[in-house]
Amino acid sequence: MTLLVAGGSRVDAGKTTFSVGLLERTGATGFKPRAGNDFWFDHDDYRDAVDRGRLFGKDARKLAAAAPGERGPEDINPVHRLWRPAPRGGAGVLGRDDRTFLLDRVGDRYVVNDTVDIPDSARAALDLDDAVRVSSLPEFNEAMASLHVPAQEALAEEIEATDLAVVESYADVARPLANVDTLAVAVVEPGHVRIYDGARYEKACEVASGGYETGRLEEKVPDVTSLLDPVARVTLPPLTGEERSDPAAVADAYDDAYEELLDAAFA
């Protein structure tokens, strides 16, 4: 059984804080199918991982720490991307004009952008000797088919086999995995959360994809939520940094929202 947490804002929606409290409230296992961070803006988080010879983000670290068991960040987050702000005048391998893709960790393998300089700290700390190296979009698509897709499919199977899973999306993407049945969805934004029936939300995702084959496009949250009404809206109180770092404090502060989400899931 799966609960999905998505964000109405591209960044800083509060998804991870909400998810960590939900794990505390329910005893569920948390998953972050895809994640990433910026070498420049998230440098502390980046160094925290590479200084251990690893690559993961603080969201996956928090989710892994809040869930029962001994899972590490990489266990719940099979795909993690490292990027940096893009130089002016270049769209890069993936066609983004605001950021440059540096490398992906996919499971315990790496996919490296061979058209850019990889930071010395990453080359020194990470095992890139057998990395898949790409220099064009077609080459990256081949890597996606051979590495990313199987990793995501394996995680989806694990999520489906979990008694209660909380799946956190990334940025403002409506669903990080298209092949996982979801009981209910929480769309988190600063100050409030909207609760949606999982089956209706999934159907809205399919409509928002424009009829393309499932999984080919990433539906954005606003495009999906514009197609259906929430079953509940709940105000979220502001939390101090100390409260956000304490899963029990988050669970207590957001109790009304969690009650509405669980009611929608098990109605």
Side-chain angles (χ1 to χ4, degrees):
M1 297 180 290
T2 305
L3 305 172
L4 172 63
V5 178
S9 304
R10 192 176 72 84
V11 294
D12 297 330
K15 298 186 298 295
T16 302
T17 297
F18 188 92
S19 297
V20 165
L22 184 57
L23 297 181
E24 175 74 17
R25 172 71 167 75
T26 62
T29 299
F31 294 92
K32 182 92 173 177
R34 282 175 276 182
N37 54 14
D38 189 302
F39 175 75
W40 181 266
F41 293 107
D42 305 313
H43 198 69
D44 284 347
D45 300 325
Y46 161 79
R47 291 309 303 241
D48 179 63
V50 297
D51 285 350
R52 313 180 201 191
R54 299 158 64 186
L55 187 65
F56 56 83
K58 64 181 179 182
D59 291 351
R61 175 175 54 79
K62 290 179 179 179
L63 291 172
E70 299 293 329
R71 300 186 188 209
E74 297 94 336
D75 297 324
I76 66 167
N77 168 224
V79 178
H80 182 92
R81 173 162 297 165
L82 179 68
W83 65 83
R84 71 179 182 207
R88 291 185 179 182
V93 168
L94 301 186
R96 294 289 298 263
D97 58 9
D98 60 338
R99 62 178 60 165
T100 296
F101 151 64
L102 297 177
L103 58 88
D104 282 355
R105 175 186 56 76
V106 186
D108 59 0
R109 296 283 306 279
Y110 292 93
V111 177
V112 173
N113 182 354
D114 226 14
T115 71
V116 300
D117 292 329
I118 301 301
D120 290 342
S121 54
R123 288 191 289 106
L126 305 177
D127 184 9
L128 303 182
D129 290 343
D130 66 344
V132 175
R133 297 184 176 273
V134 299
S135 57
S136 66
L137 184 58
E139 289 178 353
F140 183 80
N141 287 338
E142 289 181 11
M144 285 278 291
S146 63
L147 290 177
H148 296 66
V149 171
Q152 296 286 281
E153 289 176 343
L155 185 71
E157 292 179 2
E158 183 178 353
I159 291 170
E160 290 281 27
T162 301
D163 288 339
L164 182 59
V166 171
V167 176
E168 182 186 324
S169 190
Y170 62 101
D172 60 349
V173 171
R175 55 176 178 175
L177 295 171
N179 50 346
V180 171
D181 292 331
T182 302
L183 293 176
V185 181
V187 173
V188 183
E189 293 179 291
H192 69 276
V193 59
R194 289 168 286 162
I195 310 297
Y196 295 89
D197 173 78
R200 290 180 180 272
Y201 186 89
E202 190 70 23
K203 186 170 293 185
C205 285
E206 294 170 2
V207 173
S209 71
Y212 287 91
E213 180 183 349
T214 297
R216 283 185 58 191
L217 293 180
E218 291 182 339
E219 305 89 5
K220 301 300 185 182
V221 167
D223 295 334
V224 172
T225 56
S226 67
L227 300 175
L228 71 168
D229 293 325
V231 298
R233 301 173 189 263
V234 183
T235 299
L236 299 177
L239 302 178
T240 65
E242 183 178 357
E243 289 171 326
R244 289 196 301 272
S245 66
D246 181 357
V250 178
D252 183 63
Y254 290 176
D255 184 66
D256 290 346
Y258 298 145
E259 283 293 328
E260 292 285 0
L261 179 62
L262 295 172
D263 285 348
F266 299 109

